[in-house]
Every structure is written in structure tokens, then in C-alpha cells.
Amino acid sequence: MKMNRNREERRRFLLAKSTEEGLDVPTQDIRLLGRLFPYIRQFSFLFTVALILMPIMAALSAAQPAIIKYAVDAMVAEELDTLTKFALLFLGAVVAEFVVGFIQTYTMQLGGQKATAALRSDVFNHIERLSMSYFDR
């Protein structure tokens, strides 16, 4: 009974403090993101690679309909050599999009997993350093 009352008092205190500060949700989100930034910065190379590959993947994806247009034009003009070239170019664009997309997804996921692992490790080390009296509350 006493524990529930203390928990309710703490909850009211925290709610009152957040409304006193007048912080809206996006401001709080930015502050939380700022606290996570050191963990993301450790693996900035992976995130940079992923961000660089995003427009490349978009360009490869956008090029495919244009290649098909030229292939259809070549087919209407009955230029089989040109049609074959555009078919191979289309196949290359599809394969390149797949490979670039895989690398982009893999590096982004790897960076996120490593940042999460670093955060978990820091939280675990912090909990281990706490005195036993902290857990008796």
C-alpha cells in the first residue's frame, strides 16, 4: 500500500516537473537523441556509408523505367542489337540496385546493432557500479 502511494507520488512529481519546464514532445525527443549521439558517433563510418548509398540506390531504381523505355523504342524500330544492349543494361541496373541495397541495409543495421550493444554495455556497467542499498529501496 505504501509502495503504491510512493510510486504515485513520484509519477505526479515527474509529470508536474515536465509541465513546469514547458517542454513539448519534439524537444524531449531531440534531447534524448542528443544523449544517444555519442553511441552513434562511434560507428559513424557505417552510417556514412549507408547514407551515401541511399541516393545511389534511388538513382539505380529510377533509371530502370528509362532503360525500359529505350528498350521498347529499340524494339519498335526493330533494332535487335540495341534491344539486347538495353536488356543487359537493365539487368545490370537491377543487379546493381540489389547489391547496393544489400550493402546499404547491412551497414545501417550493423551500425544500429553495434550502437545498441554499446548502450547496453554502458547501462549494464552503470548498474553493476550501484551500491546494494540502491536496490533495497
Side-chain angles (χ1 to χ4, degrees):
M1 190 73 140
K2 184 180 178 183
M3 183 175 219
N4 286 338
R5 186 175 49 150
N6 286 340
R7 183 178 293 157
E8 184 63 29
E9 287 174 5
R10 264 189 271 139
R11 188 178 75 78
R12 270 190 262 131
F13 172 75
L14 291 172
L15 287 174
K17 187 171 182 172
S18 66
T19 54
E20 283 174 10
E21 293 173 355
L23 297 177
D24 55 345
V25 174
T27 305
Q28 290 175 348
D29 290 347
I30 290 171
R31 285 187 180 179
L32 286 174
L33 187 61
R35 291 176 65 186
L36 293 175
F37 189 70
Y39 298 100
I40 295 170
R41 187 175 44 216
Q42 291 177 9
F43 308 104
S44 63
F45 175 74
L46 293 171
F47 291 113
T48 302
V49 169
L51 288 174
I52 289 171
L53 291 177
M54 281 183 189
I56 295 171
M57 192 171 73
L60 288 169
S61 179
Q64 293 170 14
I67 295 170
I68 290 175
K69 175 193 172 283
Y70 290 118
V72 169
D73 289 345
M75 188 174 72
V76 169
E78 297 180 6
E79 298 172 358
L80 293 180
D81 290 340
T82 309
L83 177 63
T84 304
K85 290 176 186 177
F86 280 119
L88 291 175
L89 185 63
F90 179 76
L91 179 66
V94 169
V95 170
E97 181 189 10
F98 173 76
V99 170
V100 169
F102 174 79
I103 295 170
Q104 186 269 332
T105 303
Y106 185 80
T107 55
M108 185 67 82
Q109 292 290 327
L110 184 63
Q113 291 297 323
K114 286 185 176 226
T116 302
L119 176 63
R120 286 180 178 174
S121 177
D122 285 354
V123 169
F124 183 74
N125 289 335
H126 175 71
I127 290 173
E128 276 188 325
R129 284 191 301 260
L130 294 173
S131 66
M132 291 306 276
S133 62
Y134 174 81
F135 298 102
D136 291 338
R137 295 183 203 178

